[in-house]
Structure formats: C-alpha cells, structure tokens
Amino acid sequence: GWPEILPSGKAVPLVAKRPKLPKSKAQPGWLQWRDDFNRKALGAEWLTRRAPQQAWLDLQGAPGSLTLGGDGKTSFVGHSHAVVETELRKANILAGERAGLAAIADENHHYFFGLQGENLVVAVRDGAKDPEIGRIIAQLRFNGPANNALRLRMTAKGSKYDFAYSVAGDEWKTLLADADGRVLATEHDGLLFTGTVIGLYASRPSS
C-alpha cells in the first residue's frame, strides 16, 4: 500500500515515488457533502473516537435520521469539513443531557454547541484546567416546542469559529461569532496528528 511505514531506523526520504495510479475524474461539488442517513450502516467517511463494545447508534429506528447514545454513554461521530450543519429532531433534552455538535482536538481541547437541558449553549474546554465538559461561554434559553426542528451550524474560519442556529426553518441567528479557534490548534502538547474533527455529539450524566 501507499503511503507505507518505513523500517525502523530508516530515514524518511525528502522525495518519494508515487504509485502509477489512473487519472481521476473531476468531481464537481467535492467541497460539499451531505448525509441523509438513509443507509443501513454509517458511511466510512465518518470518524469515531472509540470502538464501543455495544450498539450506540441507530439508523433504522427513524429512517432519514441518526440516533446517538444507545448505550447511555457519550457519543460522537465526526468529519473534517470546515462547515458542519445538523438538525435536531428531538429537542426535549433533559437536565444534564447534551445533544448537538462538537469540534474535538483531544479530551482537553474541544468546543460543544447545542442543547444542554433547556439552554442552547456554546462550551469550550481549553486545557485540563477547565471542567471536563467545558465552560459555557455563550447561552440562551431555548423555549421551542420539542417537535420544532432545531438546526445548528458550526463554521471554522481559520483561527475563528462561528456558532449559529435556526428554529423551524427560520433565518439563521448567530449565538457566538469569532470564538478562538486556537484552542483546537495542534501546537498544544499531546494533540493527535488527526487534527480537529467536527461532528454529532450526545451525552448524559453517568448514573
């Protein structure tokens, strides 16, 4: 395969030969990507942080949607796109529960944007000094009916992040703009080489 892992002790060449691959066809719209969750299994383009020992996501219970948290533990599936949108169809989140989007670099550096109980919040964790679930830096009371679709959008703009929402198809409103994206930079000690992944997140307090 290519790329390949070099033998122990062998120096990495400054220039490497690439395999003779056929020329790929142009892919219009490759910068945009959408998943309607209408397949039997989650696509390989989605990334997860761990390999759970039991079922924790469901694509069959409500076709056209993804249900997280089937094992009662924190759930996250992500992608490396710079702008991520999702729609929450069950907005009656109980006290202590969270559902929405997260941008995760590692356990100590991440943003959460979504519902926490009856509030729509943006929370950040910038190092081990912050609480594990992060500290809230923006919030508002969410009084929308549980059957109203709540759309969330997280946008990465270089070193800044924007967080916007829309209720029942109304215009987008910004909850927080220009949040510090350096929280997620690889300059922090211990960050993995995978970089920041943005995706769907759900959690509830451990019993």
Side-chain angles (χ1 to χ4, degrees), residues 18-25:
R18 67 175 178 85
K20 294 181 179 180
L21 300 174
K23 186 177 180 180
S24 60
K25 296 181 180 179

Side-chain angles (χ1 to χ4, degrees), residues 113-195:
F113 175 43
L115 289 174
Q116 178 176 299
E118 296 181 345
N119 295 316
L120 182 62
V121 308
V122 176
V124 62
R125 189 179 197 200
D126 183 11
K129 65 182 183 299
D130 286 338
E132 288 188 8
I133 63 172
R135 50 187 168 83
I136 295 175
I137 55 176
Q139 67 177 318
L140 60 81
R141 186 82 168 180
F142 180 76
N143 296 316
N147 59 351
N148 269 1
L150 172 62
R151 296 190 62 81
L152 304 173
R153 177 193 290 163
M154 186 183 293
T155 304
K157 308 178 303 180
S159 63
K160 303 293 183 182
Y161 275 69
D162 290 348
F163 305 89
Y165 67 97
S166 170
V167 180
D170 289 344
E171 65 180 19
W172 287 95
K173 298 179 181 179
T174 299
L175 180 58
L176 180 64
D178 295 334
D180 189 359
R182 293 174 298 177
V183 170
L184 307 172
T186 54
E187 65 192 36
H188 300 291
D189 291 339
L191 285 190
L192 301 178
F193 67 91
T194 51

Side-chain angles (χ1 to χ4, degrees), residues 21-105:
L21 300 174
K23 186 177 180 180
S24 60
K25 296 181 180 179
Q27 299 292 330
W30 65 274
L31 287 174
Q32 297 182 350
W33 177 72
R34 176 187 176 100
D35 194 335
D36 291 315
F37 301 118
N38 51 16
R39 293 176 289 184
K40 293 183 178 180
L42 203 62
E45 60 271 21
W46 285 102
L47 304 174
T48 61
R49 290 182 62 78
R50 298 183 181 88
Q53 299 301 310
Q54 55 189 4
W56 62 284
L57 58 83
D58 179 21
L59 288 162
Q60 306 300 312
S65 66
L66 172 66
T67 301
L68 297 179
D71 61 353
K73 299 178 181 179
T74 298
S75 303
F76 175 76
V77 292
H79 204 275
S80 56
H81 269 57
V83 181
V84 176
E85 294 181 12
T86 192
E87 179 178 293
L88 300 182
R89 297 184 182 176
K90 184 180 180 183
N92 54 334
I93 307 300
L94 301 178
E97 295 181 342
R98 279 183 164 185
L101 295 172
I104 298 177

